[in-house]
Amino acid sequence: MSEIQNSSIFSLDDMSDEEMNSLIDGTITDFDEGDLVTGTVVKIEHDEVLLDIGFKSEGVIPARELSIRKDVNPEDVVSLGDTIEALVLQKEDKEGRLILSKKRAEYERAWNRVEEKFNAGENVEGEVIEVVKGGLILDIGLRGFLPASLVDLRRVKDLNAYLGTRIEARVIEMDRNRNNVVLSRRVVLEEARKAERSEILSKLKPGMRLRGTVSSIVDFGAFVDLGGIDGLIHISELSWNHVNHPSEVVKVGQEVEVQVLDVDLNRERISLGLKQTTEDPWRTLVKKYPVGAIVEGTVTKLVTFGVFVDLGDGVEGLVHISEMAKQHVDQPSQVCSVGDKVQVKVMEIDLDRRRISLSMKAAAETLGVEVEVKPLDKPEEDEKPVEE
């Protein structure tokens, strides 16, 4: 039987080294700097990771190119057998290996993803990995800078408290040439607070009673935090008695019960009252001194139309000049002086206007006494010159 010769079968032993290298090179994909490659982690060392990418030698990822985080342990980033993507930094080093970067491959992907969110006005989320001068660094697939002034609604004293926490923020600036991404958490908080304020405002109705905490005090009143929104207690609504300054009634941090007086949805303002949560002294007065009752009071002020009388607890009533005595009175000083104790009869109480009308004349008639009216002091007439 004759031997059949097959020209397509050859022996590697018959090939020269040059032919062998040429054959191997023809089966290996060529890479250029900037290409994205995918490979398998085949070795992890303290300063680099080796990646099988189907090249004639493994690609190497230096430790500094594994993550945007500084001083990472390679074993904390990758594991043997992981399939990862990397970017070609250098075609070949002195040992003929490709120099790769995992973090720059992720950066390319992350930049496009973050840019889409930036254009759409959407939020990004990442862990705070560094505290630097002037702010925080967030891992959002790339290094995002969050200025200290944009971390919270109010100034943050200790930025270190945020280290290791996850933060939701809005991208407010991107510059590819400078690899610069600026974030703001404050704008996210402001939008959330605005939505929360709108929800709270829509539920508030005049007359409702709420608990809150005094957040600040100003000359014209006190602001109360109702849990996401502040309302104002005007100084006139702090107490039924006269108040010179709000600090006389409330302190910052004090928990108080307040009543909703008015809600302005357009201006997002809430008017509150503190005195409305306590009984009006005037209503107490009505119970103690109903119309027709005779009480003793102290004259506090004389005016042309009558006198004011203190009935106790700082509550004053007016005795009109026509109600001071049975006789005609030209001036209140004809009947009494400031500090005098007088008997008065309660004639009328106006709770809305907080006015009490009193009468000394009616009290005297009931008691069967007379109110003395002194004559007016007449000015001395000028002496006429003696005619010669």
Side-chain angles (χ1 to χ4, degrees):
M1 182 180 292
S2 60
E3 185 177 353
I4 300 174
Q5 301 290 330
N6 189 339
S7 59
S8 63
I9 298 175
F10 59 89
S11 173
L12 294 177
D13 295 335
D14 297 334
M15 297 183 65
S16 65
D17 290 341
E18 185 177 345
E19 290 173 326
M20 178 67 76
N21 290 334
S22 177
L23 179 62
I24 294 173
D25 289 343
T27 64
I28 295 176
T29 304
D30 192 21
F31 300 107
D32 291 321
E33 294 177 4
D35 286 349
L36 288 173
V37 299
T38 301
T40 303
V41 177
V42 294
K43 190 174 184 180
I44 301 175
E45 298 184 352
H46 74 281
D47 59 349
E48 64 183 21
V49 169
L50 298 185
L51 202 65
D52 180 5
I53 56 173
F55 195 55
K56 58 186 176 182
S57 62
E58 287 90 1
V60 59
I61 306 176
R64 67 179 181 277
E65 294 296 333
L66 280 170
S67 171
I68 61 173
R69 305 184 184 216
K70 295 179 179 179
D71 302 323
V72 295
N73 183 349
E75 292 184 346
D76 293 336
V77 181
V78 296
S79 301
L80 285 175
D82 282 355
T83 299
I84 62 174
E85 190 176 46
L87 182 138
V88 179
L89 294 181
Q90 183 180 333
K91 291 187 68 172
E92 292 183 28
D93 65 1
K94 59 184 179 181
E95 298 176 15
R97 305 180 303 175
L98 287 176
I99 305 301
L100 309 175
S101 173
K102 178 177 179 291
K103 74 175 183 182
R104 300 197 192 191
E106 292 174 342
Y107 180 90
E108 292 298 321
R109 301 288 189 196
W111 183 276
N112 294 332
R113 184 177 67 253
V114 171
E115 191 171 38
E116 288 178 2
K117 289 185 177 290
F118 172 59
N119 293 330
E122 297 176 353
N123 298 338
V124 295
E125 186 178 332
E127 182 183 343
V128 178
I129 58 175
E130 287 181 49
V131 177
V132 295
K133 183 179 180 181
L136 304 172
I137 299 296
L138 268 66
D139 179 359
I140 55 173
L142 44 83
R143 292 170 66 86
F145 176 62
L146 177 57
S149 60
L150 301 180
V151 171
D152 208 332
L153 296 172
R154 296 182 175 87
R155 181 176 173 270
V156 177
K157 294 182 179 179
D158 184 15
L159 290 175
N160 288 293
Y162 288 90
L163 195 60
T165 63
R166 294 192 67 80
I167 283 181
E168 187 176 7
R170 181 77 50 80
V171 181
I172 59 173
E173 183 181 332
M174 292 188 77
D175 188 334
R176 187 63 180 265
N177 295 328
R178 297 167 56 196
N179 290 331
N180 189 34
V181 178
V182 181
L183 308 172
S184 172
R185 178 171 176 258
R186 188 173 69 186
V187 68
V188 176
L189 296 176
E190 285 175 344
E191 289 183 358
R193 189 173 189 179
K194 186 174 182 180
E196 187 179 16
R197 284 173 63 92
S198 298
E199 184 179 359
I200 294 174
L201 283 167
S202 65
K203 295 179 180 178
L204 293 181
K205 303 295 179 186
M208 292 177 65
R209 290 196 177 185
L210 307 168
R211 296 204 70 82
T213 304
V214 178
S215 56
S216 63
I217 293 176
V218 290
D219 290 340
F220 54 85
F223 287 96
V224 177
D225 181 359
L226 300 174
I229 188 170
D230 281 358
L232 172 66
I233 308 174
H234 190 268
I235 189 170
S236 62
E237 304 297 341
L238 282 167
S239 173
W240 295 110
N241 298 322
H242 177 72
V243 177
N244 292 312
H245 193 272
S247 60
E248 297 175 4
V249 182
V250 293
K251 306 297 180 186
V252 173
Q254 179 181 343
E255 186 175 332
V256 292
E257 182 182 24
V258 292
Q259 182 169 310
V260 178
L261 303 181
D262 185 51
V263 180
D264 189 332
L265 294 175
N266 294 326
R267 300 169 70 188
E268 294 190 344
R269 290 187 179 179
I270 305 169
S271 297
L272 304 173
L274 180 65
K275 69 183 183 183
Q276 288 78 4
T277 61
T278 60
E279 189 173 11
D280 187 344
W282 287 79
R283 296 187 184 277
T284 304
L285 184 67
V286 172
K287 296 175 184 178
K288 291 172 61 178
Y289 309 113
V291 172
I294 296 177
V295 296
E296 184 180 72
T298 304
V299 176
T300 59
K301 188 188 302 181
L302 274 60
V303 290
T304 56
F305 51 85
V307 296
F308 285 95
V309 177
D310 180 9
L311 301 180
D313 298 322
V315 179
E316 290 183 333
L318 172 68
V319 180
H320 191 268
I321 195 169
S322 62
E323 293 293 328
M324 293 188 72
K326 197 171 184 179
Q327 299 169 247
H328 176 73
V329 178
D330 291 307
Q331 294 179 6
S333 59
Q334 291 178 261
V335 177
C336 57
S337 302
V338 172
D340 287 352
K341 299 288 185 180
V342 294
Q343 298 293 322
V344 293
K345 187 173 187 178
V346 180
M347 305 301 291
E348 183 183 358
I349 297 178
D350 187 338
L351 289 174
D352 294 330
R353 299 173 67 190
R354 294 176 57 77
R355 290 184 179 179
I356 299 179
S357 297
L358 306 172
S359 174
M360 293 169 63
K361 176 174 71 175
E365 289 177 352
T366 301
L367 296 171
V369 297
E370 288 283 340
V371 176
E372 182 184 356
V373 180
K374 301 173 184 176
L376 285 173
D377 293 331
K378 295 182 180 180
E380 295 183 3
E381 295 183 2
D382 295 334
E383 294 183 2
K384 296 181 180 180
V386 179
E387 295 181 2
E388 293 181 356

